[in-house]
């Protein structure tokens, strides 16, 4: 174990600041009067508080990580990418400057040990941090309550949620508790060199979790069994066959051997974790049925405040986007959230986004229109640019299923 910290950090770098947990970490550090720096892909749309120093870059770029870490005393880290090949180089770049890292890892709750890391990328990042001269605290989260948002679209459009192994028991944890634990780990030197498993206060079957959502919404919700073969195929396509087999095998064990409740949150924060029902009440809007007008207002508001995560939550998984002028005049569909994100990244390769203005939505039936004005700057020449577009969005089941984009062309 490396030597412990002796003083509270003056500046903390937050990697993952725009995520569900990271935003709470930022807020907690600012409340503690700590200077916060954030590494983000697109600074202008990050939607972080004005007090945060925003540094452009990605975790996959060691040089960007090194630049963001310069001058920081500590860092909050999560590793959201599947590729482990960059771990040693990125961790080396991070710890050249920071003397302490609070890493949001993942717990293996099948182990009899109080705190065991989940195999794979999480364990590899931990090993890389242990090999540095910096101190560390490993916050090994159990199942995230936020993962139950995968049922949101079904609950918005009907009264049944399709679930793999409805009677599998999980001790899901609120991201606010994870964030508070991270802030404490960043500020309290006594937590350096320690690892904690962090769960919620109770083990609930997935059937019970769906019933909790129904209670909050005042609706009678039921569950249906998902076909394991179908889930395996979907997981394998996204994350590989080995991960798919491991995940499905683990879920099956949770019927007879549900996840335990750990004491990690209580040890760090001196209080019990938040209950799942508290989390559902906070996220009630994600499960509620929304009108087209409400979707339009929330979509516009998300862009105005730079909360692109909130904007993405209003898009259906298989949303279709058509923007002929972005593809040489060809009216070709871009389908799915991942493809749309990749398309947006390509657009920002040559121009840096500096401002976004959004008009109020115009609504008719299942459609609404939004007018966007983007202020950009050419990355090579520094020339300011102005782009105006109209998005015509179609809504179903409280989510945008289609977006047709029309650009204003200067005469």
């Amino acid at each position: 174990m490396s030597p412990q910290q002796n003083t509270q950090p003056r500046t903390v770098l937050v990697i993952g600041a725009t995520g569900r947990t990271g935003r709470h970490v930022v807020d907690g550090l600012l409340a503690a009067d700590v200077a916060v720096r954030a590494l983000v892909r697109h600074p202008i749309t990050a939607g972080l508080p004005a007090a945060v120093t925003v540094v452009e870059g990605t975790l996959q770029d060691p040089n960007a990580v090194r630049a963001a870490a310069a001058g920081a005393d500590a860092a909050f880290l999560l590793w959201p990418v599947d590729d482990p090949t960059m771990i040693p180089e990125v961790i080396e770049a991070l710890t050249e400057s920071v003397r302490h890292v609070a890493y949001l890892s993942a717990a293996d709750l099948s182990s009899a040990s109080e705190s065991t890391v989940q195999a794979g990328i999480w364990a590899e990042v931990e090993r890389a941090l242990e090999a540095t001269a910096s101190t560390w605290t490993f916050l090994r989260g159990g199942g995230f309550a936020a993962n139950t948002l995968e049922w949101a679209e079904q609950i918005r459009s009907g009264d049944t949620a399709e679930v793999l192994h409805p009677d599998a028991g999980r001790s899901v944890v609120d991201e606010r508790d994870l964030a508070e634990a991270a802030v404490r780990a960043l500020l309290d030197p006594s937590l350096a060199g320690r690892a904690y498993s962090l769960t919620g206060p109770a083990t609930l079957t997935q059937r019970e979790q769906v019933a909790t959502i129904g209670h909050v919404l005042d609706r009678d919700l039921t569950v249906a069994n998902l076909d394991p073969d179908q889930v395996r195929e979907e997981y394998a396509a996204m994350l590989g066959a080995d991960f798919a087999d491991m995940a499905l095998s683990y879920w099956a064990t949770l019927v007879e051997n549900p996840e335990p409740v750990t004491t990690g949150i209580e040890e760090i924060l001196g209080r019990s974790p938040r209950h799942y029902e508290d989390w559902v009440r906070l996220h009630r809007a994600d499960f509620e049925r929304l009108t087209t007008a409400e979707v339009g207002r929330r979509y516009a508001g998300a862009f105005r405040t730079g909360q692109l995560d909130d904007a993405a939550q209003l898009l259906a998984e298989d949303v279709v986007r058509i923007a002929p002028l972005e593809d040489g005049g060809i009216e070709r569909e871009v389908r799915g959230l991942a493809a749309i994100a990749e398309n947006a990244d390509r657009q920002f390769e040559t121009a840096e986004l500096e401002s976004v203005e959004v008009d109020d939505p115009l609504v008719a039936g299942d459609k609404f229109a939004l007018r966007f004005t983007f202020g950009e700057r050419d990355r090579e020449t520094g020339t300011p640019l102005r782009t105006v577009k109209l998005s015509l969005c179609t809504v179903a089941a409280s989510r945008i299923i289609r977006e047709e984009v029309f650009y204003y062309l200067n005469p």
Side-chain angles (χ1 to χ4, degrees), residues 12-30 36-43 45-49 52-55 57 59 75-80 104 179 306-309:
V12 173
L13 169 65
V14 178
I15 296 176
T18 60
R20 293 188 178 276
T21 302
R23 288 189 183 276
H24 292 297
V25 173
V26 168
D27 291 341
L29 290 169
L30 292 177
V36 178
R37 189 179 299 166
L39 178 69
V40 300
R41 184 182 296 272
H42 300 306
T45 58
L48 295 170
V52 177
T53 300
V54 179
V55 180
L59 183 60
F76 169 76
L77 172 68
L78 55 77
W79 194 274
L104 183 56
Q307 305 282 346
L308 295 193
D309 290 342

Side-chain angles (χ1 to χ4, degrees), residues 40-383:
V40 300
R41 184 182 296 272
H42 300 306
I44 191 64
T45 58
L48 295 170
V52 177
T53 300
V54 179
V55 180
E56 184 175 4
T58 68
L59 183 60
Q60 296 95 318
D61 182 354
N63 290 329
V65 172
R66 184 177 290 107
D73 306 294
F76 169 76
L77 172 68
L78 55 77
W79 194 274
V81 293
D82 297 328
D83 182 9
T85 59
M86 297 299 295
I87 290 174
E89 193 173 352
V90 169
I91 296 302
E92 180 183 358
L94 176 65
T95 55
E96 282 181 10
S97 298
V98 302
R99 64 175 184 264
H100 181 69
V101 178
Y103 169 49
L104 183 56
S105 186
D108 178 1
L109 295 174
S110 66
S111 170
S113 171
E114 174 66 16
S115 183
T116 302
V117 65
Q118 194 169 133
I121 285 179
W122 302 277
E124 291 188 39
V125 174
E126 288 193 11
R127 287 195 295 267
L129 286 168
E130 288 172 337
T132 71
S134 298
T135 60
W136 43 262
T137 305
F138 298 147
L139 304 168
R140 296 167 178 165
F144 288 11
N147 290 341
T148 62
L149 287 171
E150 67 185 16
W151 305 327
E153 185 171 353
Q154 298 177 65
I155 291 171
R156 288 192 303 267
S157 59
D159 295 320
T160 300
E162 294 184 327
V163 178
L164 180 67
H165 300 302
D167 294 311
R170 304 214 68 181
S171 49
V172 294
V173 61
D174 192 311
E175 60 263 24
R176 293 172 295 175
D177 286 340
L178 295 173
E180 287 185 32
V183 171
R184 183 67 60 84
L186 289 163
L187 303 184
D188 186 349
S190 70
L191 301 185
R194 302 178 66 179
Y196 299 87
S197 289
L198 309 179
T199 71
T203 299
L204 299 174
T205 66
Q206 296 191 103
R207 190 187 306 277
E208 291 170 329
Q209 292 170 38
V210 171
T212 300
I213 298 170
H215 172 71
V216 171
L217 298 177
D218 195 23
R219 289 170 54 194
D220 291 327
L221 301 178
T222 59
V223 297
N225 273 297
L226 272 174
D227 179 0
D229 291 335
Q230 175 188 340
V231 176
R232 180 180 288 105
E233 184 177 335
E234 293 174 357
Y235 277 22
M238 292 186 295
L239 301 169
D242 290 343
F243 178 87
D245 290 337
M246 179 184 68
L248 266 69
S249 175
Y250 177 67
W251 279 92
T253 67
L254 297 181
V255 176
E256 297 296 331
N257 298 292
E259 290 178 344
V261 170
T262 67
T263 60
I265 293 294
E266 189 169 357
E267 289 177 45
I268 296 175
L269 300 179
R271 62 163 177 80
S272 298
R274 292 176 172 91
H275 285 269
Y276 179 65
E277 184 172 332
D278 296 331
W279 179 91
V280 175
R281 292 189 184 282
L282 180 68
H283 293 272
R284 177 174 182 150
D286 292 304
F287 297 98
E288 285 183 318
R289 293 166 175 164
L290 304 177
T291 66
T292 300
E294 288 170 329
V295 173
R297 283 195 295 270
R298 294 187 185 192
Y299 198 58
F303 276 95
R304 288 190 185 115
T305 58
Q307 305 282 346
L308 295 193
D309 290 342
D310 291 344
Q313 289 296 319
L314 293 166
L315 300 174
E317 286 291 333
D318 59 349
V319 59
V320 171
R321 187 173 187 273
I322 300 176
L325 286 183
E326 295 174 11
D327 201 12
I330 301 173
E331 190 167 312
R332 183 157 46 204
E333 293 185 353
V334 177
R335 182 180 293 272
L337 294 176
I340 289 174
E342 290 176 6
N343 182 68
D345 286 343
R346 284 194 297 271
Q347 292 182 59
F348 285 119
E349 287 178 354
T350 59
E352 180 181 356
L353 186 62
E354 295 186 330
S355 65
V356 180
E357 297 176 12
V358 190
D359 292 348
D360 290 334
L362 302 176
V363 183
D366 64 349
K367 294 180 172 57
F368 69 87
L370 282 179
R371 182 177 183 270
F372 294 85
T373 302
F374 299 101
E376 302 165 304
R377 188 170 298 275
D378 188 279
R379 292 184 183 273
E380 291 188 3
T381 66
T383 303

